[in-house]
Amino acid sequence: MSETMDPADRGEGRRAPGGLALGLRLLIVLCCLLMVSGQAVWAQGGGAAGQGGKKVLIIHSYYKGFLWTDEEHLGITSVLAPAVGMENIYVEYLDSKRFYRDDYLVQLSQVFRKKYRSYRPDLVVVTDNNAFDFIRRFGEELFPGTPVVFCGVNEARAEDLVGHPSFTGVSEEADLKGSLDVALALQPRTQFIHVVNDSTETGQIVGNHLRVLAPSYPQVRFVFLDGLSMAEILAQLKTLPPHSIVFHTFFSRDVTGRLFEYKQSMELVAGAAQVPVFGAWDFNLGHGLAGGMLTSGAAQGEAAARIALRVMAGERPADIPIQRETPGRLIFDYNALAKFQIPLASLPKGSQVINLPESLLIRHRNLLVTLAGTVVLLVTIIAILSANISRRRQAEEDLLKYQVHLEELVQQRSAQLQAANQELKRDFAALEKTQSALSQAESKLRSIFDNAAEGIYQSNPEGRFLTVNPALARMAGYSGPEAMKKGVRDLRRDFYVDPGLRMAFEARLTGEGEVHGHESQVRRMDGSTIWILENARAKRNERGELEHIDGIIQDITGRRRGEEALRNSQEILNKTFASLLDALFIVNAGERTIRDCNPATRQLFGFEREELLGRSARILHVDEASYETLEARALEAFSEKGFLHLPNFQMRRKNGDIFVSELAMMPLRGKDGLMTSWVCVVRDITEQRQMEAKLDLTRRKLRALAAELTLLEEKERRTIATQLHDQLGAVLAMGKVKVATILQAAAGTPFAGPLEEVQALIGEAVNETRSLTWELSPPILYQLGLSAAVEWLCEENEKKHHLAVRFSQVGEALEITEELRFLVFSAVRELFLNIVKHAEAKQVSVMLAWTEESVLCRVQDDGKGFVMSEVEPLREARRSFGLFNIQERVAELDGRVEITSLPGEGTTVLLVLPLGI
């Protein structure tokens, strides 16, 4: 270490860094480059801030992953994202390549209306014709007054924008003629141009444009391969005549409706054709397209985005004309050119060629540059190190000359320092002991000050805080003590809500020296107020003048609010107690005396409040036994479920009248959990019981009437069926016999044919009469029983309505009344009618189950079902004595009808009827 203390050595040290000057200069250059790049990034950020906060909605005609759409989206966002930020760009895809029905567009507009109700865009960008038509139709309804910028719209015309002054954009007008000219220049012997183009809306526009251009090339014949499936197109491409080329626009859907990605259709066409394939769109490049004057989706998107920036900057869309020129680029694929031996020299000037084979120098360019840079860096480092080594050797020689001299000086100085060091050690020991004691005392005081739960402060006579602890700062809503000292310049005005109250407090403090328990309201940093309890002491100097005030503050806002809430709760309780319509009284648990009662108790029992307070609750009961029984039941209920509820309990009024009431009792417990009293709520239900008795009588009459109607209906059905069978059936049978006799006599005459038709019609009438007779009142129901009749009904519906019906029975059939038998059969028949009319079912299962107590019938179908909360299942049946009558009749017989259904999962109806009726 002594070697570095010589002045001469320090002089050499100043020369030695000269060898590092080059490294220092390189570091300075690097810092400058970083500053320049940082300014560039800042400049970009500043540009983005110009449109910060603007929201842009992009609506694409097709779907994400569709190459043309993805290129347009990339071009749009490359311009808009730096200006508005990606978080402010919303994107929607109409997917109209696959879905473009009118009802779909209407539903999609409704989705957009709900989705963007609270997120209104400042500008809408639409791509391609379908999105353009969609926004023209629904735009003013969805986004009124919002400017619209379009791109990718084929042959956009000024009349398309009539009535849409806020529309402008970029028309997609591919340079078809330029691509044809290039193709014919590269293949001058061409006689046939086979055009591959789909039949979508965009494809039809491009196809019509090519048909208009065809007469401009009389030396060739245009063959349009449209209206064909992909398989038919590929078959024709494989057998093209000599001197042909293929002009491929785009192909996303054939006549069969099959969808293709642009990449997929291009590769299929290029693979089938044995001649060069040219085109006008760059998304086909790299998949077999030789090239041409190509239009770019990215260029369309960039051009539209630049117009969008002009609109968001304040320029009116009506003042911006439709941009019709998006310059194409001459781009070719080396692989496709080489396949058909088209020389690169024949390409037009300025052409760009992709997939060119790389030379060795280009292929390894990065590696060679890295190696060259490494060699230069190593040479530079070697030069710097050589210079440093030379200077270091010279410095070492000079150091050796002064080393002996320095050692002598050090020895002399060391002796002097040792003596001084001993003296300093003694002084330092005493100082450290004093500082340690002071530090410990200060640490204790600081810990108390910083960690106290109460707020502690010092203030001067002028009303400024000198010190504030963290607890007080938190109490006042400040981030820390320093922030509170800066924020409160005059605590009388800025901290205390009532400055006069603070000044009175200070005056009292000046006179008494100490003040305890002073309550006041102070203001927090956010403007809210809290209540505090303050204790303070005045500190004076040796002249008796007030030097400062020491104070301790507690936040008592919670206590004050609790007291206020308690007062409000008590007031609400008193009002509720007084306004309660039911009688309510409180009974002491020990003495069983009434502590309090509400006005409704006086009205119900006839006692004044003063007559009840302090008296036994026995006076409200019918007799002593009733009271004792109630008390025992109440104590048992309190221990089991915490309350007692008696829906029917007799009590006595003051005049001796006994009435029926509904009684509820609940215990009140103290802090120790022991019951101190209980609350009784009494409601007079005498009128309610009378109404229930009348309702029960009406229900019994209704049940009798329903039974009579059911039997009457069945009797009428059987009467009509008997008349049809015995009278009309006999007449028809006799007529059929007569016609048969006449037919035998008319055989071979012109009347034979019409008579045969009359005989067939009479036969059908006989069959229909027999079927109607069975439907009105099937004899099987009375001869073979309910199970056989339901099974027959299932077979008839299966034949008549082409349903797959499965019948099953669980348990052995029991004897039931004729009324019950007809009711179940009628219910199944009504359910079959509903299934045929509404359910659109294919399969139905009917299950009849017998138990000792009831008969169950379940009818289940696989139809369309319905939402139980939205559809009234029996709505149609309510117009007659159909299924609604059955449902009501089942209810009157103490049975039930359960209906369960879900959309798309069918319907299940379960009837349960007791046998003992």
Side-chain angles (χ1 to χ4, degrees):
M1 291 180 65
S2 61
E3 296 176 357
T4 63
M5 297 175 62
D6 189 87
D9 186 38
R10 288 196 297 269
E12 285 297 318
R14 285 193 297 271
R15 291 193 297 271
L20 299 173
L22 178 60
L24 182 60
R25 285 194 292 270
L26 289 174
L27 181 61
I28 294 173
V29 171
L30 179 61
C31 291
C32 292
L33 289 175
L34 290 174
M35 292 175 62
V36 171
S37 63
Q39 291 176 352
V41 172
W42 177 88
Q44 292 179 359
Q51 300 295 341
K54 297 279 189 178
K55 293 187 287 294
V56 178
L57 172 61
I58 303 175
I59 304 178
H60 292 296
S61 292
Y62 311 128
Y63 54 88
K64 186 176 183 181
F66 193 69
L67 185 59
W68 173 258
T69 297
D70 291 346
E71 288 184 354
E72 287 179 306
H73 186 76
L74 180 62
I76 294 170
T77 54
S78 67
V79 176
L80 291 183
V84 302
M86 283 300 294
E87 69 277 5
N88 291 320
I89 297 178
Y90 302 81
V91 185
E92 299 290 347
Y93 295 88
L94 299 185
D95 200 6
S96 61
K97 285 287 184 186
R98 296 178 285 198
F99 309 101
Y100 201 64
R101 300 187 310 275
D102 187 75
D103 58 341
Y104 165 72
L105 296 178
V106 172
Q107 292 175 358
L108 197 59
S109 69
Q110 296 173 355
V111 172
F112 283 6
R113 183 183 300 108
K114 294 180 179 179
K115 184 174 182 180
Y116 293 100
R117 183 177 298 165
S118 302
Y119 298 93
R120 298 298 298 273
D122 297 289
L123 183 134
V124 177
V125 179
V126 295
T127 65
D128 302 306
N129 291 65
N130 291 340
F132 179 67
D133 295 338
F134 177 83
I135 203 67
R136 283 196 303 164
R137 179 179 177 184
F138 300 105
E140 192 59 31
E141 177 185 352
L142 297 175
F143 314 111
T146 302
V148 176
V149 177
F150 59 83
C151 67
V153 177
N154 297 93
E155 309 283 339
R157 300 166 299 175
E159 51 266 30
D160 294 335
L161 305 185
V162 173
H164 302 284
S166 61
F167 280 44
T168 188
V170 183
S171 175
E172 180 188 343
E173 300 181 5
D175 194 354
L176 301 176
K177 187 176 186 308
S179 291
L180 291 172
D181 291 343
V182 170
L184 294 176
L186 296 178
Q187 299 287 295
R189 300 176 62 190
T190 299
Q191 297 177 5
F192 300 94
I193 298 178
H194 298 267
V195 179
V196 177
N197 187 49
D198 65 16
S199 57
T200 61
E201 180 183 354
T202 305
Q204 292 175 8
I205 294 174
V206 174
N208 293 336
H209 196 178
L210 286 171
R211 286 182 170 85
V212 172
L213 289 175
S216 303
Y217 301 92
Q219 72 276 20
V220 297
R221 177 186 172 192
F222 283 79
V223 180
F224 291 89
L225 302 179
D226 48 12
L228 303 174
S229 67
M230 176 58 79
E232 293 171 337
I233 293 174
L234 297 180
Q236 292 197 25
L237 292 178
K238 292 178 180 178
T239 59
L240 295 180
H243 307 299
S244 298
I245 64 172
V246 175
F247 192 81
H248 181 86
T249 59
F250 40 74
F251 198 93
S252 61
R253 186 173 65 228
D254 64 6
V255 295
T256 66
R258 182 183 174 190
L259 298 176
F260 298 87
E261 295 286 347
Y262 285 155
K263 169 186 175 182
Q264 179 186 10
S265 61
M266 183 66 242
E267 290 177 349
L268 290 173
V269 170
Q274 302 303 315
V275 298
V277 181
F278 295 90
W281 279 270
D282 67 345
F283 48 72
N284 291 321
L285 203 63
H287 304 293
L289 186 74
M293 182 67 75
L294 304 185
T295 297
S296 168
Q300 284 275 318
E302 291 173 1
R306 284 191 289 271
I307 293 176
L309 290 178
R310 292 169 59 187
V311 173
M312 287 190 291
E315 196 168 347
R316 296 174 63 249
D319 297 336
I320 303 176
I322 299 175
Q323 181 175 333
R324 301 190 178 277
E325 295 183 1
T326 51
R329 295 181 294 170
L330 290 167
I331 311 178
F332 300 89
D333 187 347
Y334 176 82
N335 295 331
L337 296 176
K339 177 180 177 180
F340 297 104
Q341 300 179 352
I342 300 175
L344 298 179
S346 64
L347 299 180
K349 184 178 180 181
S351 297
Q352 177 183 349
V353 181
I354 68 170
N355 296 327
L356 278 171
E358 297 180 344
S359 65
L360 181 63
L361 179 61
I362 295 175
R363 184 176 304 169
H364 301 290
R365 178 178 57 189
N366 293 337
L367 179 60
L368 293 175
V369 170
T370 302
L371 290 175
T374 304
V375 170
V376 172
L377 179 61
L378 291 175
V379 171
T380 303
I381 292 174
I382 291 171
I384 294 172
L385 292 176
S386 298
N388 285 339
I389 291 171
S390 175
R391 288 180 173 83
R392 183 174 181 82
R393 287 175 178 173
Q394 181 64 39
E396 288 176 352
E397 292 176 0
D398 293 338
L399 287 173
L400 289 174
K401 294 179 183 179
Y402 293 103
Q403 184 174 4
V404 176
H405 177 65
L406 289 174
E407 288 180 353
E408 293 176 354
L409 293 176
V410 168
Q411 290 177 0
Q412 296 175 4
R413 190 63 176 168
S414 296
Q416 297 174 0
L417 290 175
Q418 287 179 358
N421 190 36
Q422 293 298 327
E423 184 66 26
L424 286 173
K425 284 182 178 180
R426 290 191 293 270
D427 295 340
F428 282 144
L431 182 60
E432 286 178 356
K433 186 176 181 180
T434 303
Q435 288 180 340
S436 176
L438 291 173
S439 177
Q440 291 178 4
E442 183 180 358
S443 177
K444 291 179 181 179
L445 291 175
R446 175 54 61 182
S447 177
I448 294 172
F449 185 77
D450 291 340
N451 300 318
E454 296 83 4
I456 303 174
Y457 72 90
Q458 278 188 353
S459 64
N460 60 19
E462 289 74 28
R464 287 191 62 97
F465 282 121
L466 300 176
T467 57
V468 174
N469 73 333
L472 182 56
R474 288 192 300 270
M475 193 184 301
Y478 290 90
S479 59
E482 292 302 321
M484 184 173 181
K485 288 163 60 177
K486 292 180 180 179
V488 180
R489 297 184 177 277
D490 185 348
L491 60 86
R492 303 184 188 95
R493 183 186 68 252
D494 301 337
F495 188 52
Y496 286 85
V497 174
D498 186 353
L501 186 61
R502 173 63 185 183
M503 288 187 288
F505 170 73
E506 291 179 356
R508 181 183 171 192
L509 186 63
T510 302
E512 300 178 8
E514 292 184 10
V515 175
H516 297 279
H518 179 74
E519 294 185 7
S520 56
Q521 202 172 12
V522 297
R523 187 179 295 105
R524 303 178 80 247
M525 187 186 73
D526 59 5
S528 61
T529 60
I530 60 174
W531 283 92
I532 63 170
L533 177 68
E534 188 172 4
N535 300 320
R537 175 180 296 176
K539 294 292 184 180
R540 302 181 182 276
N541 57 21
E542 60 275 5
R543 296 187 299 274
E545 298 171 343
L546 181 64
E547 189 175 75
H548 63 268
I549 298 173
D550 294 331
I552 299 177
I553 292 177
Q554 289 181 336
D555 185 355
I556 60 171
T557 305
R559 190 195 75 189
R560 293 289 293 252
R561 289 176 179 171
E563 293 172 351
E564 181 65 22
L566 183 60
R567 286 194 297 272
N568 293 336
S569 298
Q570 187 62 41
E571 183 179 354
I572 294 172
L573 180 61
N574 292 337
K575 290 181 180 179
T576 303
F577 187 74
S579 60
L580 194 63
L581 297 179
D582 294 331
L584 184 149
F585 54 91
I586 303 173
V587 179
N588 285 317
E591 299 84 2
R592 306 297 196 263
T593 56
I594 299 174
R595 290 178 52 188
D596 200 357
C597 65
N598 67 340
T601 304
R602 180 183 59 80
Q603 296 176 1
L604 180 61
F605 288 95
F607 288 99
E608 295 295 333
R609 182 172 181 272
E610 292 74 13
E611 294 180 278
L612 292 176
L613 297 186
R615 296 188 63 180
S616 172
R618 289 180 176 84
I619 64 173
L620 303 179
H621 292 268
V622 175
D623 50 34
E624 184 71 20
S626 173
Y627 174 75
E628 296 295 339
T629 302
L630 175 64
E631 183 175 344
R633 293 181 63 183
L635 294 176
E636 181 181 358
F638 292 165
S639 61
E640 291 179 356
K641 54 184 179 181
F643 67 94
L644 173 66
H645 175 249
L646 298 177
N648 190 356
F649 186 75
Q650 289 186 338
M651 301 194 79
R652 183 189 299 275
R653 292 188 173 90
K654 180 180 179 180
N655 59 8
D657 291 343
I658 297 175
F659 65 95
V660 181
S661 70
E662 182 180 359
L663 175 66
M665 300 176 64
M666 180 181 299
L668 298 178
R669 302 184 185 276
K671 294 182 179 179
D672 54 2
L674 298 178
M675 184 171 61
T676 60
S677 56
W678 60 65
V679 178
C680 300
V681 180
V682 181
R683 176 179 297 173
D684 187 354
I685 59 172
T686 303
E687 294 183 1
Q688 178 181 340
R689 288 290 181 260
Q690 294 173 353
M691 292 299 296
E692 289 176 354
K694 292 181 181 179
L695 181 61
D696 184 61
L697 178 60
T698 303
R699 185 179 294 111
R700 287 197 300 271
K701 291 181 180 179
L702 181 61
R703 178 181 297 177
L705 178 60
E708 184 178 350
L709 286 175
T710 302
L711 294 176
L712 180 61
E713 179 186 359
E714 174 57 13
K715 183 178 179 180
E716 288 298 320
R717 283 176 173 269
R718 294 178 67 177
T719 301
I720 295 172
T722 301
Q723 292 176 353
L724 286 175
H725 180 271
D726 296 344
Q727 299 178 14
L728 182 60
V731 171
L732 290 174
M734 182 61 68
K736 185 176 182 181
V737 171
K738 295 287 185 181
V739 171
T741 303
I742 297 173
L743 182 61
Q744 290 178 354
T749 68
F751 298 103
L755 286 173
E756 289 178 355
E757 294 178 0
V758 171
Q759 186 182 32
L761 291 174
I762 294 175
E764 290 180 5
V766 170
N767 292 334
E768 287 295 327
T769 302
R770 185 180 297 112
S771 176
L772 182 58
T773 301
W774 275 74
E775 288 181 3
L776 284 172
S777 181
I780 193 173
L781 178 63
Y782 306 99
Q783 297 171 4
L784 300 180
L786 178 61
S787 298
V790 172
E791 185 174 4
W792 168 82
L793 185 61
C794 293
E795 294 173 354
E796 286 297 309
N797 279 277
E798 186 173 31
K799 294 175 185 177
K800 187 175 182 180
H801 302 294
H802 306 290
L803 295 172
V805 183
R806 181 170 59 88
F807 173 77
S808 61
Q809 178 174 311
V810 178
E812 185 177 354
L814 302 175
E815 287 295 328
I816 58 176
T817 63
E818 183 176 328
E819 176 189 358
L820 188 59
R821 182 190 313 157
F822 177 70
L823 179 60
V824 175
F825 181 81
S826 300
V828 176
R829 182 168 55 193
E830 282 293 333
L831 290 173
F832 266 115
L833 290 176
N834 285 344
I835 291 171
V836 171
K837 290 172 62 178
H838 306 294
E840 301 178 7
K842 296 181 179 179
Q843 296 182 357
V844 180
S845 66
V846 179
M847 187 270 291
L848 197 62
W850 301 85
T851 67
E852 294 181 357
E853 299 178 352
S854 61
V855 57
L856 293 85
C857 183
R858 184 189 67 196
V859 180
Q860 185 174 5
D861 66 71
D862 64 348
K864 61 184 180 180
F866 54 86
V867 179
M868 296 292 295
S869 61
E870 296 179 359
V871 178
E872 184 179 0
L874 305 179
R875 178 179 55 191
E876 295 297 331
R878 288 181 183 272
R879 298 174 183 170
S880 65
F881 289 102
L883 189 55
F884 173 67
N885 181 40
I886 292 171
Q887 189 180 32
E888 293 296 317
R889 178 64 181 136
V890 168
E892 290 298 329
L893 296 178
D894 293 330
R896 68 180 188 275
V897 179
E898 298 179 0
I899 303 176
T900 57
S901 182
L902 286 174
E905 297 186 10
T907 302
T908 300
V909 180
L910 176 66
L911 286 82
V912 181
L913 282 162
L915 294 179
I917 59 174

